[in-house]
Amino acid sequence: MTAATQTRFGIVGSGWRGEFFLRLARLLPERFRVTGVVTRTESRGAAVAAEWGVPTFRTTADLLAHERPDFVIVSVPWPVTPDVTRELVAAGVPVLAETPPAPDLAGLRSLWADVGGSGLVQVAEQYLLMPGHAARLALVRAGVLGEPTSVQISSTHLYHAVSLIRGLLGIGHESAEVSARAFVAPLANPLTPAGWSGDDTPQQLSTTLATIDFGGRMGLYDFTDNQWWNPLRARRLVVRGSRGELVDDRVIRLVDPTTPVESSLVRRQTGLDLNLEGLDLKHISFDGDVVYRNPFVGSGMSDDDIAVADILARAGAWAREEGPEPYSLAEACQDHLISLAIEESVRTGRPVVTAPEAWCR
């Protein structure tokens, strides 16, 4: 096996999400290198340089003058993302923008009008690259379930969930009718990004339920406030097809007119119990066949880190013209369009029908 090409990227922004990329570059220096980070102030730049050992700059022009990266990650607040993306595209630099690429529909349309034709913008949507989801997608694409007809997801929110639904169904830019409602109920919420609160008092949290009708295929969206962190709410994924059904890691399908069989996706996860190979995901198999291999074996990374590292590697290959687009601006615009329709339907209490947009053509 030949050594992978090192991917070089710059980062605009030094917030919580930007640190994910810095951490991966530190963990996998043979695969990733940060050419620099753009921060707004000298003091913040000094703090980033001291913690991560990377050069920092106040402007994108200074970042690019120092060293030309394969691409630049835009990891700034939503309202600022389109402006930084335009600036980098004007300089002819490939961009990997954080999700979503613009905060609202007007922003998506404006951004697409300005940079959609450049071919220089991808978006850091990693969910279909997470090992479990990648294995499920491999089964769906292999026809194990027959024709996929519906996806039910209770896991992550809005555009991330929509990207999973569309990806598993194989949906392109079809119109959709979205019907959504929100319900409030008490639920203990003891863990947040800030850590354990020490408070198990139930809070009034909202659950959003939405159906997304693509005409013959559909998605069901179910998300509770802070579900990413709350250990009291499990994650569930159901993919139904014409010849079977996948529920999380279990699959039942028809192999002949009288024989339904059940199988499971099985992770080879080392470092558990008396296994001394180190804590690591090796692969995921199905009926004895490997359907997913960890591209970063030996790193001991979480599933989310594996997925983020994977999209960094794919973005690098795309920027160097060595591989396909990992997740295009058009795909990101379409997924966010549907997520905005979910929010609108909750606000108005009425179904919302999405129409074809400029990025659909």
Side-chain angles (χ1 to χ4, degrees), residues 134-207:
R136 296 175 188 108
L137 180 61
L139 295 187
V140 172
R141 287 180 171 173
V144 171
L145 305 178
E147 179 187 353
T149 56
S150 72
V151 172
Q152 304 172 18
I153 183 166
S154 181
S155 172
T156 188
H157 79 307
L158 294 175
Y159 40 87
H160 297 309
V162 174
S163 78
L164 286 168
I165 290 169
R166 286 204 317 117
L168 288 164
L169 287 176
I171 293 287
H173 293 292
E174 291 92 330
S175 298
E177 181 175 303
V178 178
S179 299
R181 287 191 63 189
F183 305 85
V184 177
L187 174 66
N189 191 30
L191 180 62
T192 73
W196 291 94
S197 66
D199 182 5
D200 62 357
T201 305
Q203 303 172 14
Q204 294 297 314
L205 299 181
S206 180
T207 293

Side-chain angles (χ1 to χ4, degrees), residues 1 12 127 169 197 209 243 291 303 305 318:
M1 181 180 294
V12 180
Y127 273 74
L169 287 176
S197 66
L209 299 176
R243 297 187 63 81
V291 294
D303 281 10
D305 280 349
W318 158 76

Side-chain angles (χ1 to χ4, degrees), residues 10 167 239 241 292 303:
V239 184
Y292 173 85
D303 281 10

Side-chain angles (χ1 to χ4, degrees), residues 8-151:
R8 299 170 301 121
F9 58 87
I11 306 173
V12 180
S14 59
W16 174 75
R17 189 60 189 174
E19 291 186 351
F20 277 64
F21 307 112
L22 288 163
R23 180 164 47 80
L24 290 173
R26 174 181 285 177
L27 182 63
L28 299 169
E30 74 285 356
R31 298 294 303 271
F32 307 114
R33 183 164 64 83
V34 179
T35 62
V37 177
V38 176
T39 66
R40 288 188 296 176
T41 65
E42 290 281 354
S43 59
R44 179 57 181 158
V48 171
E51 183 174 0
W52 298 101
V54 297
T56 66
F57 309 92
R58 306 294 77 76
T59 69
T60 58
D62 290 341
L63 169 75
L64 300 176
H66 170 73
E67 180 182 352
R68 194 80 168 188
D70 294 326
F71 61 90
V72 173
I73 296 171
V74 177
S75 186
V76 296
W78 289 354
V80 184
T81 298
D83 293 334
V84 179
T85 300
R86 290 184 181 95
E87 182 180 355
L88 289 164
V89 168
V93 180
V95 174
L96 183 65
E98 273 284 13
T99 55
D104 53 30
L105 184 53
L108 290 176
R109 289 168 174 164
S110 176
L111 181 63
W112 180 263
D114 291 341
V115 304
S118 71
L120 289 174
V121 183
Q122 299 291 298
V123 178
E125 174 56 56
Q126 82 273 21
Y127 273 74
L128 275 172
L129 298 179
M130 295 183 76
H133 293 324
R136 296 175 188 108
L137 180 61
L139 295 187
V140 172
R141 287 180 171 173
V144 171
L145 305 178
E147 179 187 353
T149 56
S150 72
V151 172

Side-chain angles (χ1 to χ4, degrees), residues 277-350:
E277 297 178 63
L279 189 62
D280 206 26
L281 168 65
K282 301 299 184 181
H283 61 252
I284 301 175
S285 62
F286 180 78
D287 277 356
D289 293 326
V290 173
V291 294
Y292 173 85
R293 290 187 186 275
N294 182 357
F296 305 100
V297 166
S299 65
M301 294 192 298
S302 69
D303 281 10
D304 186 66
D305 280 349
I306 290 170
V308 174
D310 201 357
I311 203 163
L312 286 176
R314 291 169 186 250
W318 158 76
R320 296 188 299 270
E321 299 184 347
E322 298 169 358
E325 296 179 316
Y327 181 79
S328 70
L329 178 60
E331 293 297 308
C333 287
Q334 185 69 5
D335 288 340
H336 196 32
L337 171 71
I338 295 173
S339 73
L340 290 169
I342 292 174
E343 293 181 313
E344 181 181 348
S345 182
V346 169
R347 285 194 306 271
T348 64
R350 296 190 299 271

